[in-house]
Amino acid sequence: MENIELKPSGQLMPTLGFGFWKVPNPMCKDIVVKAVKAGYRLLDCASDYGNEAEVGDGIKAVLDQGLITRKDLFVTSKLWCTHHRKEHVKVALKRTLADLGLDYLDLYIIHFPICVKYVPIEERYPPGFYYDGVGPKPIIDPVPYQETWQAMEELVDEGLVKNIGVSNMAAALLMDVLSYARIKPAVLQIELHPYCTRNQLVRFAQENDVAITAYSSFGDASYQSIGMVKEGKDFVSLLNHNTVLNICDQVERTPAQVLLRWAVQRGCAVIPKSASDQRI
């Protein structure tokens, strides 16, 4: 599996990673070990997933067992929406590093281009979108994205992260970030699959040396399971789509493999997850 060279650091990011969104906390440690043994070297995490401490236990286990060294791993995490003010960015990173048991991250991404009212870590962690934890709607905090990005750049200056990136944004905002960034975004992480191809955005990012990491490679099934998307009568899961199944027959691969390959052949990294040994 090829790597993607990140700009401006020159570091190589594995094309195939393992994502930890919605991985149950009690399973994280064992899954990290299984994933590393299977050959995964990119671990995609986030404070909002609420399982970084358990992922950290898994990282410690593989390092203690001598399966790999820290330099062999590429660890990603994400800054949550409550910590966009410049004085809160490093605070959030320090908690992530402590939970993961690491001295630095290979990539730190701004999770969403949305800033909501600050919630101190000691009051609730992860804080979620709602100031009181339940809603009914987020309280927006009008922080300029440039302020957050400049605080991210300082993390690189201090050696706490090697690369910084963005996520869940369109080309217009990416253009804006590129106009003032002293350290350019190394990665744009977005939902990407044959129902959501984002052709122009992918092309623009790659032409500007911003690598793409694709999430939800199998479609929006992950959102259905948490009630964010309801399957309609005309909806066909990508894993059961006739076009995908026909390709599977031709190349003798599973639907998941075909869908991941679709993204990889576009020059994108992928971060699937599974609890199944066979699928991992």
Side-chain angles (χ1 to χ4, degrees):
M1 183 65 67
E2 295 182 357
N3 297 314
I4 298 173
E5 182 179 351
L6 299 183
K7 304 293 179 64
S9 71
Q11 187 177 4
L12 298 179
M13 180 177 73
T15 301
L16 178 61
F18 195 95
F20 283 88
W21 181 39
K22 298 201 306 178
V23 175
N25 295 54
M27 301 178 66
C28 283
K29 179 180 178 180
D30 288 342
I31 285 180
V32 171
V33 175
K34 290 177 181 179
V36 167
K37 286 182 176 179
Y40 292 88
R41 294 296 179 265
L42 189 163
L43 305 180
D44 184 85
C45 311
S47 61
D48 188 56
Y49 301 165
N51 56 15
E52 287 193 321
E54 291 78 10
V55 172
D57 292 338
I59 292 173
K60 184 178 187 301
V62 297
L63 296 178
D64 289 348
Q65 293 174 35
L67 298 175
I68 52 171
T69 67
R70 172 64 184 95
K71 290 190 294 185
D72 296 323
L73 276 179
F74 189 102
V75 182
T76 299
S77 187
K78 305 176 188 75
L79 175 75
W80 187 240
C81 305
T82 49
H83 283 68
H84 277 213
R85 290 197 172 272
K86 60 184 178 181
E87 63 268 26
H88 299 147
V89 171
K90 188 175 178 180
V91 172
L93 174 66
K94 286 288 192 178
R95 173 58 187 262
T96 278
L97 289 174
D99 283 350
L100 293 172
L102 300 175
D103 296 324
Y104 68 91
L105 291 178
D106 297 278
L107 174 63
Y108 198 38
I109 290 174
I110 300 176
H111 206 145
F112 287 97
I114 302 168
C115 183
V116 297
K117 190 173 180 179
Y118 174 65
V119 177
I121 288 173
E122 57 271 19
E123 289 187 13
R124 188 175 69 253
Y125 190 84
F129 266 118
Y130 305 110
Y131 181 71
D132 59 2
V134 294
K137 64 180 181 178
I139 300 175
I140 300 299
D141 188 12
V143 180
Y145 201 88
Q146 184 173 2
E147 176 180 325
T148 308
W149 188 255
Q150 289 173 341
M152 296 282 282
E153 292 174 326
E154 292 178 3
L155 302 178
V156 179
D157 296 338
E158 295 181 40
L160 296 172
V161 302
K162 292 185 177 295
N163 303 276
I164 48 180
V166 295
S167 184
N168 299 304
M169 66 166 52
L173 183 52
L174 181 56
M175 290 177 192
D176 186 60
V177 177
L178 290 170
S179 74
Y180 56 70
R182 174 171 58 86
I183 301 174
K184 305 295 185 184
V187 172
L188 167 63
Q189 187 172 123
I190 51 174
E191 180 179 352
L192 194 70
H193 48 76
Y195 279 152
C196 183
T197 60
R198 316 293 289 276
N199 293 331
Q200 292 177 312
L201 177 57
V202 170
R203 183 172 63 250
F204 174 78
Q206 292 175 335
E207 287 176 350
N208 284 275
D209 293 324
V210 180
I212 298 290
T213 296
Y215 70 78
S216 293
S217 294
F218 308 143
D220 57 11
S222 291
Y223 297 107
Q224 292 173 21
S225 66
I226 57 177
M228 292 180 65
V229 175
K230 294 184 178 179
E231 185 167 346
K233 63 178 182 179
D234 298 323
F235 175 83
V236 178
S237 166
L238 284 171
L239 295 171
N240 297 314
H241 196 286
N242 283 337
T243 299
V244 175
L245 296 178
N246 288 337
I247 295 170
C248 292
D249 290 339
Q250 294 173 36
V251 299
E252 298 182 348
R253 295 291 187 270
T254 67
Q257 288 172 317
V258 168
L259 291 167
L260 292 173
R261 187 66 182 176
W262 174 86
V264 169
Q265 287 186 186
R266 301 179 75 192
C268 304
V270 291
I271 46 172
K273 77 168 190 328
S274 177
S276 160
D277 292 1
Q278 181 181 6
R279 289 175 177 166
I280 289 173

